[in-house]
Amino acid sequence: PFEYLLISNLSSHIPSLVFVDAATGKVVCRNGLLVVRDDPKGLEFPWGPKPFAEVVDGPLLRNNRQTTDSSALEGSYVGVYFSAHWCPPCRSLTRVLVESYRKVKESGHKFEIVFVSADRSEESFTQYFSEMPWLAVPYTDEARRSRLNRLYGIQGIPTLILLDTEGHMITRQGRVEILNDPDCRLFPWHPRPVLELSESNAVQLHEGPCLVLFVDAEEEGELEPAKELIQPIAEKIMAKYKAKEEETPLLFFVAGEDDMSDSLRDYTNLPEAAPLLTILDMSARAKYVKDVEEITPAVVEQFVSDFLAEKLKPEPI
């Protein structure tokens, strides 16, 4: 029986169609519009996630026009790079990524990148790919490019998905990690439980609900006590959902007193109090605020627990 919920997502990316298994509540496919387009007769139902190796299976190109089989990726860390020449942020990231790719390779790691083009013509693809030292799905293989977009629910470019040597996702935030770590010292960029809010990682605030703890900190290092306070809770949440092979439902940030934090407070109409414990859900344009004199681990844990149990009343952003 067809027991999926079809959710029309009223977010910043519309129209959007998400398939959810009604029996388990798990997201089956985040990019249902591509499913409807590519499989109108439902021959691939139930459209659940497949292993990367199965979806990418086939010949891959090098920019010298030679080909190699996708089996050559086995045992390597892999970056799946969704990008296009017509997109200025993509071209900027590509220049940085070329240097990062070389540094990782020179350090002795087995690392490969697969370019999945969103270019509007084969000519543009060829021109853009000539700047890249890695592999690409052939532009003419539109079905495989579409399946990779569906596999990772790609909603915008540039997007860099990082996979471990078994083909399991390490992070969807390869773009942020590359820009924050130009020397590639943190490769393969496993997610950190708590991030310090910055201009380069603020894009993650739009990935889903985020807990942001605002504190009165202006100097470097002053955010450490706040990170240490919420890190055990963040690690607990990450471990719980990783064991269930599900995405973490909440990202964790600490924010000090700077222009980025001020802009976020202004945009979300938050009070100037510090400390201030919040959960921001940009796509739902909702916020949850805990304004208390003292933020303790117990306060944070209860706040998170109530949010995940849908016990908190949202305020509009």
Side-chain angles (χ1 to χ4, degrees), residues 75-97:
S76 295
Y77 292 99
V78 176
V80 190
Y81 184 37
F82 298 86
S83 184
H85 187 265
W86 53 261
C87 162
C90 295
R91 296 198 301 273
S92 296
L93 180 62
T94 295
R95 288 190 289 271
V96 177
L97 189 53

Side-chain angles (χ1 to χ4, degrees), residues 30-73:
R30 294 185 180 277
N31 215 330
L33 293 179
L34 286 179
V35 169
V36 172
R37 187 194 73 181
D38 297 345
D39 187 27
K41 296 183 179 180
L43 300 179
E44 296 181 25
F45 182 82
W47 304 310
K50 298 177 180 178
F52 169 72
E54 180 179 336
V55 178
V56 80
D57 184 47
L60 297 171
L61 294 178
R62 295 195 180 278
N63 60 16
N64 60 6
R65 297 185 178 275
Q66 293 183 348
T67 62
T68 186
D69 191 77
S70 59
S71 60
L73 299 173

Side-chain angles (χ1 to χ4, degrees), residues 7-267:
I7 300 175
S8 180
N9 185 14
L10 300 178
S11 70
S12 56
H13 302 289
I14 55 172
S16 181
L17 181 64
V18 178
F19 291 101
V20 177
D21 187 330
T24 65
K26 285 188 176 183
V27 173
V28 175
C29 177
R30 294 185 180 277
N31 215 330
L33 293 179
L34 286 179
V35 169
V36 172
R37 187 194 73 181
D38 297 345
D39 187 27
K41 296 183 179 180
L43 300 179
E44 296 181 25
F45 182 82
W47 304 310
K50 298 177 180 178
F52 169 72
E54 180 179 336
V55 178
V56 80
D57 184 47
L60 297 171
L61 294 178
R62 295 195 180 278
N63 60 16
N64 60 6
R65 297 185 178 275
Q66 293 183 348
T67 62
T68 186
D69 191 77
S70 59
S71 60
L73 299 173
E74 292 178 8
S76 295
Y77 292 99
V78 176
V80 190
Y81 184 37
F82 298 86
S83 184
H85 187 265
W86 53 261
C87 162
C90 295
R91 296 198 301 273
S92 296
L93 180 62
T94 295
R95 288 190 289 271
V96 177
L97 189 53
V98 166
E99 292 305 312
S100 297
Y101 175 79
R102 287 176 176 153
K103 287 176 182 176
V104 172
K105 299 279 274 188
E106 288 171 0
S107 70
H109 292 288
K110 292 188 69 176
F111 180 49
E112 194 51 79
I113 294 175
V114 177
F115 170 42
V116 183
S117 173
D119 286 294
R120 294 166 177 161
S121 70
E122 188 168 8
E123 182 181 3
S124 293
F125 162 78
T126 302
Q127 178 186 350
Y128 192 30
F129 185 44
S130 68
E131 305 169 11
M132 303 177 185
W134 45 74
L135 302 171
V137 175
Y139 185 80
T140 53
D141 196 341
E142 185 175 353
R144 191 163 30 144
R145 290 192 287 124
S146 182
R147 286 196 298 271
L148 285 163
N149 273 272
R150 281 163 45 190
L151 178 63
Y152 296 115
I154 302 303
Q155 299 284 354
I157 56 173
T159 295
L160 178 64
I161 305 289
L162 291 164
L163 309 177
D164 66 16
T165 56
E166 301 295 321
H168 301 134
M169 187 188 301
I170 295 174
T171 179
R172 302 179 61 87
Q173 299 298 332
R175 174 190 184 184
V176 173
E177 298 295 348
I178 290 288
L179 294 176
N180 281 343
D181 183 28
D183 293 327
C184 306
R185 291 174 181 167
L186 300 177
F187 178 86
W189 299 297
H190 287 283
R192 281 158 286 170
V194 183
L195 298 174
E196 294 184 14
L197 184 66
S198 66
E199 288 188 14
S200 60
N201 64 29
V203 64
Q204 291 180 251
L205 293 171
H206 295 273
E207 290 291 321
C210 298
L211 181 145
V212 184
L213 173 56
F214 293 89
V215 294
D216 185 10
E218 297 182 6
E219 302 297 327
E220 186 175 350
E222 290 186 347
L223 288 174
E224 284 306 312
K227 289 174 69 176
E228 291 171 3
L229 187 151
I230 64 175
Q231 179 144 333
I233 299 159
E235 289 174 342
K236 182 179 177 181
I237 294 290
M238 289 177 67
K240 176 182 176 181
Y241 284 87
K242 183 177 181 180
K244 297 195 293 185
E245 297 185 350
E246 296 178 11
E247 289 189 30
T248 302
L250 196 60
L251 299 178
F252 292 79
F253 290 85
V254 292
E257 297 291 329
D258 55 27
D259 291 343
M260 183 69 244
S261 297
D262 291 344
S263 296
L264 181 58
R265 283 182 186 265
D266 290 343
Y267 179 75

Side-chain angles (χ1 to χ4, degrees), residues 193-194 209-213 229-238 240-241 248-253 277-280 288-290 295-313:
V194 183
C210 298
L211 181 145
V212 184
L213 173 56
L229 187 151
I230 64 175
Q231 179 144 333
I233 299 159
E235 289 174 342
K236 182 179 177 181
I237 294 290
M238 289 177 67
K240 176 182 176 181
Y241 284 87
T248 302
L250 196 60
L251 299 178
F252 292 79
F253 290 85
L277 184 62
T278 68
I279 291 176
L280 306 177
Y288 308 82
V289 181
K290 189 78 171 178
I295 306 293
T296 65
V299 167
V300 177
E301 190 153 16
Q302 188 62 54
F303 187 54
V304 169
S305 176
D306 288 346
F307 171 77
L308 296 177
E310 300 182 357
K311 294 180 179 179
L312 301 179
K313 183 179 180 180

